[in-house]
Amino acid sequence: MYDQNNIFAKILRSEIPCKKIAEDQYFLSFHDIAPKAAVHALVIPTGHYKNVHDFTTRASTDELVGFWKGVNTTIDALNVAQNGYRLIANTGTDGRQDVPHFHIHILGGQDLGPKIVMS
Ligand code: AMP
């Protein structure tokens, strides 16, 4: 069951603000409010999906393609493609997902080391 009151649903409804990077009908990207790296952005689908598995199971082909194009658009806007970056999709309880609306973290702008602990 998708929680309509999660914080990213509220951002999509413009009930709370975000530092927007890019958007279209399929995705919205914005800067993380508590960055864990020099560059830390989030990309979310505009549709209501609680995690990556839910998204990949239920989204249409247009939504799937539109979302991943949005990830690339955001990577280009952040200017991290040349030096590299890390994508993370925390999922469910064991994955320590805090916000139950599917999102991809884009981390970069520095050497990220062997791993990042998402506290
Ligand atoms: P996760 O543990 O993968 O669900 O991560 C959720 C992320 O959302 C965390 O990195 C938070 O810092 C970030 N976050 C929470 N609220 C906001 C907000 N209002 N604007 C931007 N990022 C947020």
mmCIF file of all heavy atoms in Angstrom, residues 19-60:
data_model
loop_
_atom_site.group_PDB
_atom_site.id
_atom_site.type_symbol
_atom_site.label_atom_id
_atom_site.label_comp_id
_atom_site.label_asym_id
_atom_site.label_seq_id
_atom_site.Cartn_x
_atom_site.Cartn_y
_atom_site.Cartn_z
ATOM 1 N N LYS A 19 14.574 21.886 -3.448
ATOM 2 C CA LYS A 19 15.546 22.569 -4.316
ATOM 3 C C LYS A 19 15.601 21.794 -5.629
ATOM 4 O O LYS A 19 16.396 20.867 -5.803
ATOM 5 C CB LYS A 19 16.916 22.622 -3.638
ATOM 6 C CG LYS A 19 17.021 23.718 -2.588
ATOM 7 C CD LYS A 19 18.388 23.751 -1.936
ATOM 8 C CE LYS A 19 19.506 24.080 -2.914
ATOM 9 N NZ LYS A 19 20.849 24.079 -2.268
ATOM 10 N N LYS A 20 14.710 22.174 -6.543
ATOM 11 C CA LYS A 20 14.488 21.420 -7.778
ATOM 12 C C LYS A 20 15.688 21.492 -8.712
ATOM 13 O O LYS A 20 16.310 22.543 -8.866
ATOM 14 C CB LYS A 20 13.250 21.988 -8.484
ATOM 15 C CG LYS A 20 12.775 21.174 -9.665
ATOM 16 C CD LYS A 20 11.568 21.815 -10.327
ATOM 17 C CE LYS A 20 10.376 21.883 -9.387
ATOM 18 N NZ LYS A 20 9.184 22.456 -10.049
ATOM 19 N N ILE A 21 15.974 20.364 -9.360
ATOM 20 C CA ILE A 21 17.034 20.305 -10.379
ATOM 21 C C ILE A 21 16.397 20.199 -11.759
ATOM 22 O O ILE A 21 16.742 20.960 -12.666
ATOM 23 C CB ILE A 21 17.982 19.109 -10.124
ATOM 24 C CG1 ILE A 21 18.655 19.252 -8.764
ATOM 25 C CG2 ILE A 21 19.018 18.998 -11.254
ATOM 26 C CD1 ILE A 21 19.330 17.988 -8.273
ATOM 27 N N ALA A 22 15.463 19.275 -11.937
ATOM 28 C CA ALA A 22 14.825 19.073 -13.243
ATOM 29 C C ALA A 22 13.518 18.318 -13.032
ATOM 30 O O ALA A 22 13.308 17.674 -11.988
ATOM 31 C CB ALA A 22 15.738 18.286 -14.181
ATOM 32 N N GLU A 23 12.648 18.390 -14.025
ATOM 33 C CA GLU A 23 11.395 17.628 -13.957
ATOM 34 C C GLU A 23 10.773 17.535 -15.334
ATOM 35 O O GLU A 23 11.038 18.347 -16.220
ATOM 36 C CB GLU A 23 10.403 18.286 -12.984
ATOM 37 C CG GLU A 23 9.865 19.614 -13.457
ATOM 38 C CD GLU A 23 8.827 20.202 -12.513
ATOM 39 O OE1 GLU A 23 8.131 19.436 -11.815
ATOM 40 O OE2 GLU A 23 8.711 21.432 -12.477
ATOM 41 N N ASP A 24 9.933 16.522 -15.515
ATOM 42 C CA ASP A 24 9.007 16.443 -16.638
ATOM 43 C C ASP A 24 7.824 15.614 -16.162
ATOM 44 O O ASP A 24 7.625 15.468 -14.949
ATOM 45 C CB ASP A 24 9.681 15.939 -17.932
ATOM 46 C CG ASP A 24 10.077 14.468 -17.885
ATOM 47 O OD1 ASP A 24 9.658 13.743 -16.951
ATOM 48 O OD2 ASP A 24 10.803 14.033 -18.789
ATOM 49 N N GLN A 25 7.052 15.074 -17.071
ATOM 50 C CA GLN A 25 5.854 14.349 -16.649
ATOM 51 C C GLN A 25 6.173 13.042 -15.914
ATOM 52 O O GLN A 25 5.309 12.492 -15.223
ATOM 53 C CB GLN A 25 4.950 14.055 -17.850
ATOM 54 C CG GLN A 25 5.524 13.040 -18.821
ATOM 55 C CD GLN A 25 4.698 12.895 -20.070
ATOM 56 O OE1 GLN A 25 5.053 13.386 -21.141
ATOM 57 N NE2 GLN A 25 3.572 12.204 -19.958
ATOM 58 N N TYR A 26 7.415 12.540 -16.063
ATOM 59 C CA TYR A 26 7.760 11.238 -15.503
ATOM 60 C C TYR A 26 8.603 11.293 -14.235
ATOM 61 O O TYR A 26 8.665 10.314 -13.494
ATOM 62 C CB TYR A 26 8.508 10.395 -16.537
ATOM 63 C CG TYR A 26 7.684 10.082 -17.753
ATOM 64 C CD1 TYR A 26 8.011 10.620 -18.992
ATOM 65 C CD2 TYR A 26 6.565 9.252 -17.659
ATOM 66 C CE1 TYR A 26 7.247 10.330 -20.113
ATOM 67 C CE2 TYR A 26 5.795 8.958 -18.776
ATOM 68 C CZ TYR A 26 6.138 9.509 -19.993
ATOM 69 O OH TYR A 26 5.379 9.232 -21.094
ATOM 70 N N PHE A 27 9.305 12.405 -14.007
ATOM 71 C CA PHE A 27 10.235 12.435 -12.872
ATOM 72 C C PHE A 27 10.365 13.842 -12.309
ATOM 73 O O PHE A 27 10.042 14.840 -12.972
ATOM 74 C CB PHE A 27 11.625 11.930 -13.294
ATOM 75 C CG PHE A 27 12.446 12.999 -13.982
ATOM 76 C CD1 PHE A 27 13.404 13.721 -13.272
ATOM 77 C CD2 PHE A 27 12.237 13.318 -15.307
ATOM 78 C CE1 PHE A 27 14.153 14.723 -13.885
ATOM 79 C CE2 PHE A 27 12.971 14.314 -15.933
ATOM 80 C CZ PHE A 27 13.931 15.019 -15.228
ATOM 81 N N LEU A 28 10.844 13.878 -11.077
ATOM 82 C CA LEU A 28 11.255 15.130 -10.437
ATOM 83 C C LEU A 28 12.577 14.846 -9.739
ATOM 84 O O LEU A 28 12.723 13.796 -9.091
ATOM 85 C CB LEU A 28 10.209 15.574 -9.411
ATOM 86 C CG LEU A 28 10.596 16.710 -8.462
ATOM 87 C CD1 LEU A 28 10.760 18.028 -9.232
ATOM 88 C CD2 LEU A 28 9.550 16.881 -7.359
ATOM 89 N N SER A 29 13.545 15.765 -9.892
ATOM 90 C CA SER A 29 14.800 15.608 -9.152
ATOM 91 C C SER A 29 15.078 16.867 -8.346
ATOM 92 O O SER A 29 14.712 17.982 -8.750
ATOM 93 C CB SER A 29 15.964 15.279 -10.089
ATOM 94 O OG SER A 29 16.168 16.270 -11.062
ATOM 95 N N PHE A 30 15.703 16.673 -7.194
ATOM 96 C CA PHE A 30 15.980 17.777 -6.278
ATOM 97 C C PHE A 30 17.154 17.401 -5.372
ATOM 98 O O PHE A 30 17.513 16.229 -5.257
ATOM 99 C CB PHE A 30 14.738 18.131 -5.445
ATOM 100 C CG PHE A 30 14.064 16.949 -4.792
ATOM 101 C CD1 PHE A 30 14.359 16.580 -3.492
ATOM 102 C CD2 PHE A 30 13.114 16.195 -5.484
ATOM 103 C CE1 PHE A 30 13.733 15.501 -2.881
ATOM 104 C CE2 PHE A 30 12.478 15.096 -4.887
ATOM 105 C CZ PHE A 30 12.784 14.759 -3.595
ATOM 106 N N HIS A 31 17.725 18.431 -4.744
ATOM 107 C CA HIS A 31 18.863 18.205 -3.848
ATOM 108 C C HIS A 31 18.385 17.609 -2.529
ATOM 109 O O HIS A 31 17.352 18.030 -1.978
ATOM 110 C CB HIS A 31 19.598 19.518 -3.610
ATOM 111 C CG HIS A 31 20.270 20.052 -4.844
ATOM 112 N ND1 HIS A 31 21.492 19.593 -5.278
ATOM 113 C CD2 HIS A 31 19.870 20.976 -5.751
ATOM 114 C CE1 HIS A 31 21.824 20.226 -6.395
ATOM 115 N NE2 HIS A 31 20.859 21.069 -6.705
ATOM 116 N N ASP A 32 19.168 16.637 -2.018
ATOM 117 C CA ASP A 32 18.854 16.042 -0.715
ATOM 118 C C ASP A 32 19.002 17.100 0.381
ATOM 119 O O ASP A 32 19.937 17.901 0.374
ATOM 120 C CB ASP A 32 19.785 14.855 -0.439
ATOM 121 C CG ASP A 32 19.266 13.967 0.673
ATOM 122 O OD1 ASP A 32 19.288 14.399 1.855
ATOM 123 O OD2 ASP A 32 18.811 12.845 0.371
ATOM 124 N N ILE A 33 18.074 17.072 1.319
ATOM 125 C CA ILE A 33 18.063 18.084 2.389
ATOM 126 C C ILE A 33 19.217 17.885 3.381
ATOM 127 O O ILE A 33 19.592 18.828 4.085
ATOM 128 C CB ILE A 33 16.695 18.055 3.120
ATOM 129 C CG1 ILE A 33 16.420 19.388 3.805
ATOM 130 C CG2 ILE A 33 16.591 16.884 4.077
ATOM 131 C CD1 ILE A 33 14.988 19.550 4.267
ATOM 132 N N ALA A 34 19.768 16.679 3.434
ATOM 133 C CA ALA A 34 20.879 16.378 4.356
ATOM 134 C C ALA A 34 21.981 15.666 3.572
ATOM 135 O O ALA A 34 22.160 14.448 3.701
ATOM 136 C CB ALA A 34 20.389 15.509 5.514
ATOM 137 N N PRO A 35 22.717 16.413 2.744
ATOM 138 C CA PRO A 35 23.656 15.774 1.799
ATOM 139 C C PRO A 35 24.742 14.955 2.485
ATOM 140 O O PRO A 35 25.307 15.378 3.491
ATOM 141 C CB PRO A 35 24.242 16.965 1.030
ATOM 142 C CG PRO A 35 23.933 18.174 1.839
ATOM 143 C CD PRO A 35 22.706 17.873 2.629
ATOM 144 N N LYS A 36 25.012 13.774 1.920
ATOM 145 C CA LYS A 36 26.058 12.869 2.416
ATOM 146 C C LYS A 36 27.312 12.933 1.554
ATOM 147 O O LYS A 36 28.260 12.178 1.784
ATOM 148 C CB LYS A 36 25.534 11.426 2.438
ATOM 149 C CG LYS A 36 24.245 11.206 3.204
ATOM 150 C CD LYS A 36 24.435 11.431 4.697
ATOM 151 C CE LYS A 36 23.233 10.939 5.501
ATOM 152 N NZ LYS A 36 21.984 11.620 5.191
ATOM 153 N N ALA A 37 27.333 13.814 0.552
ATOM 154 C CA ALA A 37 28.495 13.995 -0.317
ATOM 155 C C ALA A 37 28.397 15.406 -0.888
ATOM 156 O O ALA A 37 27.375 16.084 -0.730
ATOM 157 C CB ALA A 37 28.501 12.957 -1.432
ATOM 158 N N ALA A 38 29.470 15.840 -1.567
ATOM 159 C CA ALA A 38 29.482 17.195 -2.132
ATOM 160 C C ALA A 38 28.291 17.411 -3.057
ATOM 161 O O ALA A 38 27.708 18.495 -3.102
ATOM 162 C CB ALA A 38 30.796 17.425 -2.873
ATOM 163 N N VAL A 39 27.964 16.380 -3.810
ATOM 164 C CA VAL A 39 26.744 16.381 -4.627
ATOM 165 C C VAL A 39 25.860 15.248 -4.130
ATOM 166 O O VAL A 39 26.312 14.097 -4.040
ATOM 167 C CB VAL A 39 27.077 16.175 -6.122
ATOM 168 C CG1 VAL A 39 25.800 15.984 -6.932
ATOM 169 C CG2 VAL A 39 27.898 17.338 -6.658
ATOM 170 N N HIS A 40 24.629 15.566 -3.777
ATOM 171 C CA HIS A 40 23.688 14.529 -3.322
ATOM 172 C C HIS A 40 22.288 14.946 -3.762
ATOM 173 O O HIS A 40 21.688 15.866 -3.194
ATOM 174 C CB HIS A 40 23.737 14.369 -1.806
ATOM 175 C CG HIS A 40 22.925 13.207 -1.298
ATOM 176 N ND1 HIS A 40 22.915 12.838 0.031
ATOM 177 C CD2 HIS A 40 22.093 12.325 -1.932
ATOM 178 C CE1 HIS A 40 22.123 11.793 0.192
ATOM 179 N NE2 HIS A 40 21.594 11.466 -0.988
ATOM 180 N N ALA A 41 21.802 14.263 -4.785
ATOM 181 C CA ALA A 41 20.485 14.565 -5.342
ATOM 182 C C ALA A 41 19.600 13.328 -5.277
ATOM 183 O O ALA A 41 20.079 12.192 -5.127
ATOM 184 C CB ALA A 41 20.624 15.038 -6.786
ATOM 185 N N LEU A 42 18.309 13.562 -5.389
ATOM 186 C CA LEU A 42 17.323 12.486 -5.410
ATOM 187 C C LEU A 42 16.497 12.599 -6.684
ATOM 188 O O LEU A 42 16.178 13.714 -7.119
ATOM 189 C CB LEU A 42 16.394 12.587 -4.202
ATOM 190 C CG LEU A 42 17.069 12.532 -2.833
ATOM 191 C CD1 LEU A 42 16.082 12.942 -1.731
ATOM 192 C CD2 LEU A 42 17.619 11.143 -2.554
ATOM 193 N N VAL A 43 16.173 11.467 -7.277
ATOM 194 C CA VAL A 43 15.283 11.441 -8.436
ATOM 195 C C VAL A 43 14.100 10.552 -8.088
ATOM 196 O O VAL A 43 14.294 9.409 -7.626
ATOM 197 C CB VAL A 43 15.973 10.896 -9.705
ATOM 198 C CG1 VAL A 43 15.082 11.106 -10.928
ATOM 199 C CG2 VAL A 43 17.341 11.532 -9.910
ATOM 200 N N ILE A 44 12.891 11.073 -8.283
ATOM 201 C CA ILE A 44 11.685 10.309 -7.953
ATOM 202 C C ILE A 44 10.760 10.258 -9.174
ATOM 203 O O ILE A 44 10.713 11.215 -9.955
ATOM 204 C CB ILE A 44 10.931 10.900 -6.738
ATOM 205 C CG1 ILE A 44 10.354 12.285 -7.043
ATOM 206 C CG2 ILE A 44 11.856 10.962 -5.529
ATOM 207 C CD1 ILE A 44 9.508 12.858 -5.892
ATOM 208 N N PRO A 45 10.046 9.154 -9.344
ATOM 209 C CA PRO A 45 9.025 9.123 -10.389
ATOM 210 C C PRO A 45 7.809 9.935 -9.958
ATOM 211 O O PRO A 45 7.538 10.064 -8.752
ATOM 212 C CB PRO A 45 8.684 7.630 -10.506
ATOM 213 C CG PRO A 45 8.959 7.075 -9.152
ATOM 214 C CD PRO A 45 10.093 7.891 -8.582
ATOM 215 N N THR A 46 7.080 10.475 -10.914
ATOM 216 C CA THR A 46 5.873 11.229 -10.560
ATOM 217 C C THR A 46 4.724 10.290 -10.175
ATOM 218 O O THR A 46 3.795 10.711 -9.497
ATOM 219 C CB THR A 46 5.435 12.141 -11.722
ATOM 220 O OG1 THR A 46 5.319 11.362 -12.910
ATOM 221 C CG2 THR A 46 6.437 13.263 -11.945
ATOM 222 N N GLY A 47 4.800 9.040 -10.616
ATOM 223 C CA GLY A 47 3.780 8.060 -10.229
ATOM 224 C C GLY A 47 4.003 7.556 -8.816
ATOM 225 O O GLY A 47 5.071 7.745 -8.224
ATOM 226 N N HIS A 48 2.979 6.905 -8.272
ATOM 227 C CA HIS A 48 3.003 6.464 -6.881
ATOM 228 C C HIS A 48 3.522 5.030 -6.775
ATOM 229 O O HIS A 48 2.761 4.069 -6.932
ATOM 230 C CB HIS A 48 1.600 6.569 -6.284
ATOM 231 C CG HIS A 48 1.140 7.983 -6.127
ATOM 232 N ND1 HIS A 48 -0.156 8.327 -5.819
ATOM 233 C CD2 HIS A 48 1.818 9.145 -6.235
ATOM 234 C CE1 HIS A 48 -0.253 9.642 -5.752
ATOM 235 N NE2 HIS A 48 0.929 10.164 -6.002
ATOM 236 N N TYR A 49 4.819 4.918 -6.467
ATOM 237 C CA TYR A 49 5.467 3.619 -6.318
ATOM 238 C C TYR A 49 6.305 3.646 -5.050
ATOM 239 O O TYR A 49 7.053 4.596 -4.831
ATOM 240 C CB TYR A 49 6.360 3.316 -7.531
ATOM 241 C CG TYR A 49 5.579 3.327 -8.824
ATOM 242 C CD1 TYR A 49 5.627 4.429 -9.673
ATOM 243 C CD2 TYR A 49 4.782 2.245 -9.170
ATOM 244 C CE1 TYR A 49 4.884 4.451 -10.852
ATOM 245 C CE2 TYR A 49 4.039 2.254 -10.346
ATOM 246 C CZ TYR A 49 4.091 3.357 -11.179
ATOM 247 O OH TYR A 49 3.356 3.375 -12.332
ATOM 248 N N LYS A 50 6.194 2.601 -4.240
ATOM 249 C CA LYS A 50 6.818 2.689 -2.915
ATOM 250 C C LYS A 50 8.306 2.337 -2.912
ATOM 251 O O LYS A 50 9.033 2.767 -2.010
ATOM 252 C CB LYS A 50 6.063 1.838 -1.888
ATOM 253 C CG LYS A 50 6.063 0.359 -2.178
ATOM 254 C CD LYS A 50 5.203 -0.387 -1.150
ATOM 255 C CE LYS A 50 5.217 -1.877 -1.422
ATOM 256 N NZ LYS A 50 4.373 -2.629 -0.490
ATOM 257 N N ASN A 51 8.758 1.560 -3.896
ATOM 258 C CA ASN A 51 10.192 1.233 -3.955
ATOM 259 C C ASN A 51 10.540 0.762 -5.363
ATOM 260 O O ASN A 51 9.667 0.694 -6.246
ATOM 261 C CB ASN A 51 10.576 0.183 -2.893
ATOM 262 C CG ASN A 51 9.810 -1.119 -3.057
ATOM 263 O OD1 ASN A 51 9.582 -1.581 -4.174
ATOM 264 N ND2 ASN A 51 9.402 -1.709 -1.942
ATOM 265 N N VAL A 52 11.807 0.450 -5.583
ATOM 266 C CA VAL A 52 12.263 0.101 -6.938
ATOM 267 C C VAL A 52 11.564 -1.151 -7.457
ATOM 268 O O VAL A 52 11.252 -1.260 -8.649
ATOM 269 C CB VAL A 52 13.812 -0.036 -6.985
ATOM 270 C CG1 VAL A 52 14.303 -1.197 -6.143
ATOM 271 C CG2 VAL A 52 14.302 -0.146 -8.419
ATOM 272 N N HIS A 53 11.286 -2.101 -6.585
ATOM 273 C CA HIS A 53 10.634 -3.337 -7.024
ATOM 274 C C HIS A 53 9.195 -3.059 -7.445
ATOM 275 O O HIS A 53 8.725 -3.548 -8.478
ATOM 276 C CB HIS A 53 10.674 -4.384 -5.903
ATOM 277 C CG HIS A 53 10.210 -5.732 -6.343
ATOM 278 N ND1 HIS A 53 8.899 -6.145 -6.232
ATOM 279 C CD2 HIS A 53 10.879 -6.742 -6.942
ATOM 280 C CE1 HIS A 53 8.783 -7.365 -6.725
ATOM 281 N NE2 HIS A 53 9.960 -7.748 -7.154
ATOM 282 N N ASP A 54 8.504 -2.249 -6.654
ATOM 283 C CA ASP A 54 7.130 -1.857 -6.987
ATOM 284 C C ASP A 54 7.110 -1.101 -8.322
ATOM 285 O O ASP A 54 6.259 -1.363 -9.192
ATOM 286 C CB ASP A 54 6.595 -0.977 -5.856
ATOM 287 C CG ASP A 54 5.134 -0.600 -6.014
ATOM 288 O OD1 ASP A 54 4.358 -1.392 -6.590
ATOM 289 O OD2 ASP A 54 4.755 0.499 -5.547
ATOM 290 N N PHE A 55 8.068 -0.179 -8.493
ATOM 291 C CA PHE A 55 8.143 0.603 -9.727
ATOM 292 C C PHE A 55 8.385 -0.299 -10.933
ATOM 293 O O PHE A 55 7.678 -0.215 -11.953
ATOM 294 C CB PHE A 55 9.271 1.633 -9.588
ATOM 295 C CG PHE A 55 9.480 2.511 -10.791
ATOM 296 C CD1 PHE A 55 8.499 3.386 -11.226
ATOM 297 C CD2 PHE A 55 10.675 2.464 -11.496
ATOM 298 C CE1 PHE A 55 8.700 4.205 -12.338
ATOM 299 C CE2 PHE A 55 10.896 3.279 -12.597
ATOM 300 C CZ PHE A 55 9.900 4.144 -13.020
ATOM 301 N N THR A 56 9.361 -1.181 -10.835
ATOM 302 C CA THR A 56 9.714 -2.030 -11.974
ATOM 303 C C THR A 56 8.605 -3.034 -12.274
ATOM 304 O O THR A 56 8.386 -3.411 -13.427
ATOM 305 C CB THR A 56 11.048 -2.744 -11.692
ATOM 306 O OG1 THR A 56 12.024 -1.761 -11.373
ATOM 307 C CG2 THR A 56 11.523 -3.525 -12.895
ATOM 308 N N THR A 57 7.849 -3.431 -11.259
ATOM 309 C CA THR A 57 6.749 -4.375 -11.450
ATOM 310 C C THR A 57 5.547 -3.713 -12.118
ATOM 311 O O THR A 57 4.953 -4.277 -13.049
ATOM 312 C CB THR A 57 6.306 -4.952 -10.085
ATOM 313 O OG1 THR A 57 7.407 -5.610 -9.481
ATOM 314 C CG2 THR A 57 5.137 -5.926 -10.255
ATOM 315 N N ARG A 58 5.189 -2.497 -11.672
ATOM 316 C CA ARG A 58 3.899 -1.938 -12.079
ATOM 317 C C ARG A 58 3.960 -0.805 -13.095
ATOM 318 O O ARG A 58 2.965 -0.514 -13.754
ATOM 319 C CB ARG A 58 3.147 -1.428 -10.835
ATOM 320 C CG ARG A 58 2.752 -2.493 -9.848
ATOM 321 C CD ARG A 58 1.719 -1.998 -8.854
ATOM 322 N NE ARG A 58 2.177 -0.893 -8.033
ATOM 323 C CZ ARG A 58 1.712 0.349 -8.108
ATOM 324 N NH1 ARG A 58 0.751 0.657 -8.979
ATOM 325 N NH2 ARG A 58 2.187 1.310 -7.320
ATOM 326 N N ALA A 59 5.100 -0.128 -13.226
ATOM 327 C CA ALA A 59 5.157 1.048 -14.106
ATOM 328 C C ALA A 59 5.066 0.639 -15.576
ATOM 329 O O ALA A 59 5.508 -0.450 -15.966
ATOM 330 C CB ALA A 59 6.447 1.819 -13.850
ATOM 331 N N SER A 60 4.518 1.548 -16.379
ATOM 332 C CA SER A 60 4.455 1.322 -17.835
ATOM 333 C C SER A 60 5.852 1.490 -18.432
ATOM 334 O O SER A 60 6.756 2.069 -17.807
ATOM 335 C CB SER A 60 3.503 2.335 -18.468
ATOM 336 O OG SER A 60 4.059 3.636 -18.407
#
